[in-house]
Amino acid sequence: MRVAIAGAGLAGLTCAKYLAQAGHKPIVFEARDVLGGKVAAWKDEDGDWYETGLHIFFGAYPNMLQLFQELKIEDRLQWKSHSMIFNQPNEPGTYSRFDFPDLPAPFNGVAAILSNNDMLTWSEKVSFGIGLIPAMLRGQEYVEECDKQSWSEWLRNHNIPERVNKEVFIAMSKALNFINPDEISSTVLLTALNRFLQEKNGSKMAFLDGAPPERLCEPIVEYIRSNGGEVFLNRPLKEIKLDEMNNVKSFIIGDKDENKTEEFFADAYVSAMPVDIFKRLIPSPWKELEIFEKLKGLKGVPVINIHMWFDRKLTDIDHLLFSRSDLLSVYADMSITCKEYEDKDRSMLELVFAPAKDWIGKSDQEIINATMTELEKLFPSHFTGTDQAKLRKFKVVKTPLSVYKAVPGCQELRPSQSTPIKNFFLTGDYTMQRYLASMEGAVLSGKLCASEIEKATQLRSRTS
Ligand SMILES: Cc1cc2nc3c(=O)[nH]c(=O)nc-3n(C[C@H](O)[C@H](O)[C@H](O)COP(=O)(O)OP(=O)(O)OC[C@H]3O[C@@H](n4cnc5c(N)ncnc54)[C@H](O)[C@@H]3O)c2cc1C
């Protein structure tokens, strides 16, 4: 069966990979000249990589880890010590750590929380622990019910002091969805906490050993091609054409190289585009169907990814850091954490700037100036006094509409991978799967989409 897929992000590529594995012929059309969507990266004039986002892989990503194994590239994940490291705003340049000992879950998580006395008091830990009991006992059903409340509301409803939010969860909320706890759905935080507390290595983090398009997306493309599929760059989906039954008749595909369009026919069609772009391409006769109508409520959140190359080493920490700064979310010294970006003498900081709503329209220089002020608090010894670290160069990558903004009420808006249109399917991190807007979510949605297409094929062959 020929399957046309629009979008070569992780969801589209994974969907194509599993379709090819099942003996179908996926043909992927990507609008841009680069693979990966939100994991896309480019080389600058010196050959240094810069990325759409600083990306962390977690132990709690079973489908992603299985994909790495199937592609025989597990050695490309660089696992770090099982810890979470937070900057201490009241003592600039210092850190507070949650270190997970080698114990089964949830004891390793409980031990990590209990042994950290810098950030939370004992009574705060106890009140938070009691608040989490329903999530641990009732699991996902409870977590889904909590989508009615923001994380700040959830904490207040459980009598957990606001200080807990300030100390730990502003940082986690910004890391998970680039917004603050007053806005984020409590389902997002509870999903992450449940995974981290229920799986021994759930919160263990890894960095890819190089840029995602080459180190992760290329091997998926090689698999697709060697199993009969195809992937084309610079080929945007322009229009979804319908037949007289309002099923898909064809995809109208643009060709940026030759400035023309072609009509492409297949047995099944998939949108693996971000939700904001797909919404613009929904054909009029479909607009009132509930599944597509609900998409109006899903909207990408702005985020900015910053790269700063310095003339010296600023840190020796080989890990992700939670900045706990007002402007920044997480950051890492990629010259240490990522093999391909290694520089023994000089740092390259990659920093996520969030929430970015008030900054996305500002100039790169304004964003860098604001970030430099934050760095004075994160690395005071390098940015005060006479011999200060010098910024050699920078790159700012803005994504005005990134992953869907996970505010309360979004869960029931997220579509399934199959749709009421019998030859049309959806994949993407925003479609319904339990890992929310993440690389794991994208991979799982691609796998679920391939399996829905497979089911539809079997149904068709039984009825014909
Ligand atoms: C700054 C940042 C940091 C992040 N950090 C993490 C992290 O640490 N860990 C984690 O798990 N996740 C992280 N994420 C989220 C993760 O990157 C996404 O959830 C995931 O990559 C989404 O994949 P996707 O395939 O669903 O969508 P996308 O990656 O958006 O792919 C959609 C593709 O469709 C293409 N497209 C658009 N229009 C068309 C068209 N008309 N025709 C054809 N193709 C089209 C796009 O170019 C793109 O390639 C981060 C995201 C950002 C932005």
Side-chain angles (χ1 to χ4, degrees):
M1 186 162 85
R2 261 157 72 97
V3 184
I5 301 174
L10 288 175
L13 290 176
T14 306
C15 178
K17 189 257 175 198
Y18 286 107
L19 285 171
Q21 190 169 315
H24 301 294
K25 183 174 174 58
I27 301 104
V28 182
F29 299 104
E30 165 56 45
R32 300 198 291 175
D33 61 357
V34 58
L35 294 168
K38 293 184 190 76
V39 302
W42 304 265
K43 271 187 175 170
D44 72 5
E45 49 289 357
D46 304 320
D48 291 320
W49 284 103
Y50 59 100
E51 311 183 324
T52 311
L54 169 58
H55 277 88
I56 302 297
F57 298 75
F58 285 94
Y61 279 6
N63 297 286
M64 178 65 94
L65 299 185
Q66 189 193 355
L67 181 64
F68 270 81
Q69 269 171 14
E70 289 170 357
L71 297 169
K72 299 191 174 49
I73 55 168
E74 309 97 290
D75 59 338
R76 297 186 183 183
L77 283 175
Q78 299 182 265
W79 291 99
K80 307 301 173 188
S81 68
H82 197 171
S83 322
M84 293 178 107
I85 311 176
F86 291 73
N87 272 97
Q88 291 280 64
N90 297 334
E91 295 169 60
T94 66
Y95 305 92
S96 177
R97 301 175 63 102
F98 290 87
D99 291 310
F100 291 67
D102 187 17
L103 294 172
F107 304 107
N108 62 343
V110 172
I113 295 168
L114 294 184
S115 60
N116 177 303
N117 293 315
D118 307 323
M119 290 171 72
L120 300 180
T121 65
W122 278 91
S123 72
E124 286 164 351
K125 288 177 198 176
V126 170
S127 64
F128 184 60
I130 293 171
L132 276 186
I133 291 172
M136 289 199 268
L137 294 181
R138 290 185 47 213
Q140 201 57 26
E141 185 202 349
Y142 171 82
V143 170
E144 295 294 330
E145 282 168 19
C146 289
D147 191 43
K148 295 183 193 80
Q149 314 156 51
S150 72
W151 181 245
S152 297
E153 283 164 345
W154 186 91
L155 289 176
R156 278 196 293 277
N157 291 343
H158 290 80
N159 298 319
I160 297 166
E162 178 57 25
R163 230 187 60 86
V164 175
N165 219 1
K166 192 164 162 277
E167 288 296 301
V168 181
F169 289 108
I170 294 178
M172 277 191 73
S173 165
K174 294 206 300 181
L176 287 166
N177 199 239
F178 319 128
I179 51 179
N180 277 315
D182 290 348
E183 286 198 285
I184 200 169
S185 159
S186 50
T187 295
V188 177
L189 273 297
L190 289 170
T191 302
L193 288 169
N194 249 3
R195 296 272 67 76
F196 291 175
L197 285 169
Q198 286 175 8
E199 293 170 31
K200 180 178 174 183
N201 289 322
S203 55
K204 204 164 176 190
M205 300 180 211
F207 286 67
L208 193 60
D209 65 356
E214 276 189 11
R215 304 297 289 168
L216 173 55
C217 300
E218 274 297 341
I220 312 179
V221 171
E222 276 162 32
Y223 184 98
I224 295 167
R225 288 193 174 133
S226 59
N227 286 276
E230 210 22 279
V231 179
F232 297 104
L233 297 179
N234 282 322
R235 305 283 291 277
L237 172 64
K238 298 279 195 189
E239 188 191 340
I240 302 171
K241 277 206 147 185
L242 304 188
D243 63 17
E244 62 288 353
M245 305 290 286
N246 283 339
N247 293 315
V248 183
K249 176 178 171 238
S250 59
F251 270 1
I252 303 297
I253 304 288
D255 185 333
K256 285 187 184 165
D257 301 324
E258 299 197 12
N259 211 5
K260 57 175 195 186
T261 56
E262 70 162 311
E263 186 166 12
F264 189 87
F265 298 91
D267 302 298
Y269 299 83
V270 177
S271 165
M273 301 176 289
V275 65
D276 298 283
I277 295 177
F278 173 60
K279 280 192 287 189
R280 285 188 235 138
L281 288 172
I282 297 175
S284 299
W286 292 1
K287 283 200 173 138
E288 277 161 27
L289 293 173
E290 194 187 4
I291 186 170
F292 300 126
E293 168 80 19
K294 280 182 170 177
L295 296 182
K296 284 184 188 154
L298 297 179
K299 197 164 185 280
V301 62
V303 68
I304 303 171
N305 201 51
I306 299 174
H307 311 72
M308 300 173 92
W309 285 265
F310 288 96
D311 66 344
R312 68 194 67 181
K313 273 271 180 267
L314 302 180
T315 177
D316 57 3
I317 299 179
D318 182 10
H319 217 297
L320 182 78
L321 293 151
F322 291 81
S323 75
R324 293 177 73 207
S325 113
D326 287 342
L327 297 184
L328 302 172
S329 170
V330 287
Y331 68 101
D333 187 340
M334 299 295 279
S335 74
I336 304 172
T337 54
C338 172
K339 197 163 140 200
E340 197 183 348
Y341 301 177
E342 182 177 341
D343 186 330
K344 290 201 166 28
D345 305 314
R346 303 177 299 186
S347 286
M348 189 279 256
L349 296 186
E350 194 166 328
L351 311 108
V352 180
F353 196 103
K357 132 174 109 51
D358 299 331
W359 288 85
I360 200 86
K362 298 205 179 182
S363 71
D364 290 0
Q365 193 59 58
E366 282 174 291
I367 292 165
I368 288 295
N369 292 347
T371 306
M372 283 300 282
T373 308
E374 296 298 292
L375 292 188
E376 287 168 23
K377 296 174 215 155
L378 300 180
F379 302 102
S381 62
H382 291 291
F383 294 102
T384 48
T386 47
D387 182 27
Q388 293 191 20
K390 286 188 188 53
L391 182 62
R392 293 194 295 122
K393 61 175 180 173
F394 64 81
K395 276 278 180 204
V396 175
V397 181
K398 295 178 184 169
T399 307
L401 296 168
S402 75
V403 296
Y404 75 92
K405 187 172 174 181
V407 293
C410 272
Q411 285 295 84
E412 67 115 9
L413 305 178
R414 297 173 65 199
S416 54
Q417 286 76 31
S418 63
T419 76
I421 314 300
K422 71 175 198 283
N423 64 350
F424 183 73
F425 301 82
L426 295 171
T427 182
D429 59 1
Y430 72 93
T431 63
M432 199 53 183
Q433 36 71 27
R434 61 199 283 245
Y435 290 93
L436 306 160
S438 65
M439 294 187 288
E440 170 70 7
V443 165
L444 175 55
S445 79
K447 206 180 209 177
L448 292 173
C449 185
S451 121
E452 288 301 323
I453 295 170
E454 184 68 14
K455 267 194 242 162
T457 326
Q458 283 165 3
L459 196 69
R460 234 178 284 168
S461 61
R462 271 206 300 276
T463 49
S464 61

